[in-house]
């Protein structure tokens, strides 16, 4: 009797599936109009003994002539991300092409996504940090399976931190989440930890730009709340979809199962590229000139330097000024001139034409203090509706709301269509490494759950369902390193 071959080990099966994806990407790629990037996902979700999501999305800069010379690297090849990076290095060496990887859902990694230990059990070193920074320039900070900017436990002074939190367990619902895991799961704390690590070993492994993504398995780009088609085909709009399990706990503990009503209609990546082509988009992602939104299409710019003037943000040539006097989101502050006392940041945001007005723009600062401890602080730098900003850098009052949650309606009678600001760090210490990014908040608008209740005439029977929220955007950071 002939030996039975496990088809999962048949390279011909993988090659044919990969070729189908290459053909689809070639068919729909229309440079200048619609870019279809070639890529795949490496889905390492841990084991029952050591659970935790470590997924990476791998994206090629190249066309099918180069990307077709390999087949995707999978969990069956290796469960160690360093082997994925080696695969990527070999691809570039053999083809002359370019490739990068994007970690996602750090919030479901049970403290493993930004761990200080390698998967082989050894502590990270400078070579590891340099390799990680080389292959992973950006991180997905918001998506359907939860928002990964920060957590209330990590940012107790941030009233906007409790947004889209998934903190029951790992991706598969195998092991319950514990507080000590949280710093190594969220982007804000990872950026600060990266500063600490750089002081110790001379290289920052977590020097990430920020993007959003849907992680939708429907093939539809429906990240708007009123048009949200769910993560999977069995959670498309229906009166009972809210109570469908998205990921059932693998060990049967229902308290660790996640449900449709817990997911977000998130997210999108904003990319500042010179043109809509594979090469230009890839290059912009690689230099971290990108930002994340929770599903809307806000336009956001963020620059850092030493010599911006208060009126620069309102000039018609503001973008040219941004590049001429400093660096864009994703960059490192240049060396300060002798006359400079603190870095100056210029930020602007324009509302999504079909979404809520803007509530405020904030700058989130993280730094390492003189004792080596990581710190953070939030500054409101532009607010709508004539509100003022206190001496402590925070708005005097919230923006309010116009949402009728029962009817799932709202109006843009509050907030602003556009906000801009030039802000100087009032607490700058030139001896302390720091990282800055902008967060833009909309006024409250209905969630997809409120739209479903109004559309189907139902009431969702679970606790904690949000029927309104404040959509947001996160820019890639700008770093300051003492010289």
């Amino acid at each position: 009797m002939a030996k039975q071959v496990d088809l999962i080990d048949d390279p011909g099966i993988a090659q044919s599936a990969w070729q189908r994806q290459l053909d689809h990407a070639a068919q729909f790629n229309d440079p200048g109009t619609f870019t279809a990037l070639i890529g795949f996902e490496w889905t390492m979700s841990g084991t029952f003994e050591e659970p935790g999501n470590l997924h990476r999305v791998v994206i090629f800069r190249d066309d099918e002539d180069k990307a077709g010379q390999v087949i995707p690297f999978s969990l069956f090849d290796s469960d160690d991300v360093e082997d994925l990076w080696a695969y990527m290095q070999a691809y570039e060496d053999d083809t002359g092409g370019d490739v990068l990887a994007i970690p996602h859902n750090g919030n479901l990694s049970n403290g493993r996504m930004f761990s200080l230990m390698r998967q082989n059990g050894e502590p990270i070193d400078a070579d590891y940090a340099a390799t990680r920074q080389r292959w992973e320039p950006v991180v997905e900070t918001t998506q359907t399976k939860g928002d990964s900017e920060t957590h209330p436990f990590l940012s107790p002074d941030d009233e906007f931190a409790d947004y889209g939190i998934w903190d029951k367990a790992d991706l598969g619902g195998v092991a319950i989440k514990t507080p000590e895991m949280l710093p190594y799961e969220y982007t804000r704390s990872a950026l600060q930890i990266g500063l600490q690590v750089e002081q110790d070993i001379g290289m920052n492994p977590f020097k990430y730009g920020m993007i959003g993504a849907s992680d939708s398995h429907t093939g539809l780009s429906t990240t708007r709340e009123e048009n949200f088609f769910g993560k999977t085909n069995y959670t498309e709009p229906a009166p009972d979809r809210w109570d469908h399990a998205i990921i059932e706990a693998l060990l049967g503990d229902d308290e660790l199962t996640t449900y449709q009503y817990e997911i977000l209609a998130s997210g999108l990546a904003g990319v500042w590229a010179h043109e809509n082509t594979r090469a230009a988009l890839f290059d912009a992602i690689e230099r971290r000139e990108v930002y994340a939104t929770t599903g809307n299409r806000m336009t956001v710019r963020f620059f850092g330097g030493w010599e911006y003037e208060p009126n620069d943000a309102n000039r018609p040539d503001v973008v040219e000024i941004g590049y001429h006097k400093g660096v864009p989101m994703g960059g490192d502050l240049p060396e300060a001139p002798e006359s400079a006392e603190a870095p100056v940041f210029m930020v602007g945001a324009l509302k999504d034409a079909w979404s809520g007005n803007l509530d405020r723009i904030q700058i989130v600062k993280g730094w390492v203090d003189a004792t080596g401890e990581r710190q953070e602080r939030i500054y409101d730098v532009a607010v709508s509706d004539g509100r003022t900003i206190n001496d402590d850098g925070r708005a005097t009052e919230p923006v309010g709301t116009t949402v009728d949650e029962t009817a799932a309606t709202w109006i843009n009678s509050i907030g602003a269509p556009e906000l801009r600001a030039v802000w100087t760090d009032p607490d700058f210490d030139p001896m302390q490494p720091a990282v800055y990014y902008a967060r833009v908040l909309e006024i409250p608008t209905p969630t997809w759950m409120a739209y479903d209740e109004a559309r189907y005439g139902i009431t969702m029977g679970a606790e904690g369902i949000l029927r309104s929220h404040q959509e947001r955007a996160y820019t890639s950071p700008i770093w300051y390193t003492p010289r």
Side-chain angles (χ1 to χ4, degrees):
M1 178 181 294
K3 182 180 179 181
Q4 187 173 3
V5 177
D6 189 343
L7 293 181
I8 201 69
D9 293 326
D10 184 349
I13 298 293
Q15 183 63 62
S16 64
W18 182 230
Q19 188 60 53
R20 181 178 61 190
Q21 302 308 312
L22 296 173
D23 292 343
H24 287 329
Q27 178 184 355
F28 293 104
N29 190 52
D30 184 6
T33 302
F34 179 85
T35 295
L37 294 167
I38 296 172
F40 65 88
E41 183 174 0
W42 179 75
T43 53
M44 195 298 199
S45 298
T47 63
F48 285 109
E49 294 76 21
E50 193 175 11
N53 171 76
L54 294 174
H55 292 191
R56 263 72 171 182
V57 174
V58 178
I59 294 176
F60 296 86
R61 187 180 191 268
D62 313 302
D63 297 332
E64 54 276 8
D65 61 331
K66 291 183 179 178
Q69 296 180 40
V70 296
I71 59 174
F73 189 85
S74 80
L75 177 61
F76 295 99
D77 295 304
S78 175
D79 63 359
D80 191 328
V81 70
E82 294 184 60
D83 292 329
L84 172 65
W85 298 336
Y87 160 90
M88 296 164 68
Q89 182 68 66
Y91 168 79
E92 292 197 353
D93 292 343
D94 294 342
T95 69
D98 287 292
V99 63
L100 60 81
I102 304 172
H104 75 96
N105 272 135
N107 59 322
L108 302 179
S109 70
N110 273 24
R112 298 183 65 193
M113 183 60 79
F114 307 115
S115 173
L116 300 181
M117 302 297 293
R118 297 164 60 184
Q119 284 172 242
N120 62 12
E122 298 178 2
I124 61 176
D125 56 18
D127 287 341
Y128 171 93
T131 303
R132 183 162 183 159
Q133 189 179 132
R134 163 71 178 86
W135 297 115
E136 299 183 357
V138 300
V139 66
E140 176 206 88
T141 299
T142 187
Q143 71 130 268
T144 298
K145 300 197 302 295
D147 192 86
S148 298
E149 186 217 3
T150 192
H151 187 283
F153 177 81
L154 301 172
S155 304
D157 297 327
D158 181 358
E159 68 270 36
F160 300 108
D162 192 12
Y163 181 80
I165 298 299
W166 277 34
D167 59 1
K168 296 179 182 178
D170 61 286
L171 178 64
V174 173
I176 194 169
K177 191 83 65 185
T178 60
E180 59 268 18
M181 298 175 181
L182 298 177
Y184 308 99
E185 298 194 327
Y186 288 86
T187 303
R188 186 186 297 180
S189 53
L191 293 171
Q192 299 162 22
I193 292 169
L195 298 178
Q196 291 177 306
V197 173
E198 185 171 19
Q199 287 193 319
D200 291 338
I201 67 174
M203 182 62 66
N204 186 343
F206 309 133
K207 197 168 186 177
Y208 281 119
M210 289 194 251
I211 66 161
S214 68
D215 201 16
S216 169
H217 292 198
T218 64
L220 302 173
S221 298
T222 55
T223 59
R224 304 192 66 86
E225 301 290 328
E226 73 275 12
N227 189 36
F228 182 51
F229 264 66
K231 174 178 169 58
T232 58
N233 58 358
Y234 61 84
T235 55
E236 292 179 354
D240 63 344
R241 68 162 171 170
W242 65 273
D243 199 29
H244 291 183
I246 290 293
I247 304 175
E248 293 191 45
L250 293 178
L251 297 183
D253 185 347
D254 288 342
E255 292 187 1
L256 302 185
T257 292
T258 51
Y259 295 88
Q260 172 81 357
Y261 65 81
E262 298 176 277
I263 71 175
L264 299 173
S266 195
L268 293 173
V271 182
W272 286 111
H274 298 293
E275 59 185 2
N276 189 357
T277 63
R278 285 173 174 169
L281 291 170
F282 184 98
D283 291 347
I285 296 170
E286 195 167 52
R287 66 176 180 265
R288 301 186 294 256
E289 201 170 349
V290 294
Y291 63 97
T293 85
T294 53
N296 54 20
R297 286 172 166 79
M298 277 190 265
T299 303
V300 186
R301 287 279 197 179
F302 183 48
F303 293 95
W306 302 93
E307 299 177 308
Y308 295 120
E309 299 292 337
N311 287 326
D312 281 348
N314 297 312
R315 292 175 58 96
D317 55 347
V318 59
V319 173
E320 289 81 358
I321 291 172
Y323 287 107
H324 179 68
K325 291 186 176 181
V327 296
M329 62 181 79
D332 291 275
L333 284 171
E335 188 169 357
E338 291 184 4
S339 59
E341 296 183 358
V344 186
F345 298 89
M346 186 165 63
V347 61
L350 180 68
K351 73 180 292 292
D352 180 334
W354 296 101
S355 190
N357 280 340
L358 304 181
D359 166 14
R360 70 188 71 193
I361 300 176
Q362 302 176 310
I363 289 182
V364 181
K365 177 185 177 182
W367 73 97
V368 177
D369 66 21
T371 67
E373 296 299 314
R374 60 181 185 270
Q375 306 290 341
E376 67 176 59
R377 185 171 176 183
I378 299 171
Y379 302 85
D380 292 327
V381 300
V383 295
S384 62
D385 296 335
R387 290 173 292 161
T388 58
I389 297 173
N390 288 328
D391 292 339
D392 65 357
R394 301 308 305 273
T396 54
E397 55 188 326
V399 71
T401 184
T402 66
V403 176
D404 181 336
E405 294 185 348
T406 301
T409 60
W410 54 280
I411 56 175
N412 272 325
S413 60
I414 59 175
E418 182 182 24
L419 292 171
R420 303 185 187 198
V422 173
W423 175 82
T424 301
D425 181 359
D427 304 304
F428 179 68
D429 184 335
M431 301 304 295
Q432 296 175 347
V435 59
Y436 305 81
Y437 66 90
R439 181 171 68 180
V440 185
L441 297 169
E442 283 188 359
I443 66 171
T445 51
T447 63
W448 70 264
M449 291 82 86
Y451 283 111
D452 268 18
E453 287 187 328
R455 182 179 294 123
Y456 295 115
I458 61 172
T459 299
M460 298 180 185
E463 294 183 3
I465 291 178
L466 289 180
R467 293 167 175 85
S468 65
H469 65 168
Q470 289 186 256
E471 301 255 28
R472 55 201 64 194
Y474 313 118
T475 72
S476 289
I478 294 173
W479 287 264
Y480 167 75
T481 303
R483 290 175 171 81

